[in-house]
Amino acid sequence: MCAARTGRGLARRRDERGAIDFAELFSSIGAVFASVEALRATTGLDDDRAGLQRLAKQLSCFLAVTDGPNGVTWLDAGNLRHMPAFAVTAIDTLGAGDAFHGAFTLALAQMLYFFFVQAPFTGGEDGLQAVPRGQWNAASALG
């Protein structure tokens, strides 16, 4: 990600703690998922909910944090939401986060496709403007 930032000419700013300031990069992104470890390293906070709220002050996109067996927490219109992970006996967790992100991205793409295909039948509204706000959140995309 840092290489992509450099290649696009985005500045490598750091905050007072020396952490990379990703706000400039994230300004063009519609959703940010972070592992709890990445969120803590980025914000300097041990509380993932407080970390999400801190990021929300700088970013105007969908924000979520994954925490392995503890599930996922996200902000929905400023409100913290949480979905616990399913209880499983893990044999190997390698790739579990990748599988989560892939499944979320697929569900989001399918949801957006449905909304944009449905949009012409809503009386002239465009895309997501035609969708009631409560339907466009992580819980909808996650099922």
Side-chain angles (χ1 to χ4, degrees):
M1 187 158 64
C2 290
R5 293 179 77 221
T6 303
R8 292 183 59 207
L10 297 173
R12 274 196 169 176
R13 294 183 301 182
R14 295 185 178 267
D15 66 12
E16 65 278 356
R17 297 176 295 110
I20 294 174
D21 178 8
F22 287 104
E24 187 174 2
L25 174 65
F26 290 156
S27 66
S28 62
I29 296 175
V32 174
F33 276 91
S35 67
V36 70
E37 297 85 5
L39 182 69
R40 290 174 181 168
T42 301
T43 64
L45 300 172
D46 288 332
D47 180 352
D48 56 339
R49 294 170 182 255
L52 283 175
Q53 291 172 327
R54 177 175 284 180
L55 283 182
K57 292 177 183 174
Q58 299 175 357
L59 307 173
S60 60
C61 61
F62 175 83
L63 297 171
V65 60
T66 57
D67 190 9
N70 298 315
V72 60
T73 303
W74 70 94
L75 282 171
D76 179 18
N79 298 309
L80 285 164
R81 309 255 181 186
H82 180 78
M83 180 179 284
F86 292 104
V88 298
T89 302
I91 296 170
D92 185 355
T93 60
L94 182 64
D98 295 331
F100 172 85
H101 291 98
F104 183 88
T105 303
L106 176 62
L108 181 61
Q110 289 173 333
M111 182 178 64
L112 290 174
Y113 175 78
F114 174 78
F115 290 152
F116 283 106
V117 169
Q118 176 185 338
F121 304 105
T122 62
E125 296 184 66
D126 291 325
L128 292 177
Q129 301 302 316
V131 179
R133 173 70 182 117
Q135 292 180 15
W136 196 81
N137 61 40
S140 296
L142 290 172

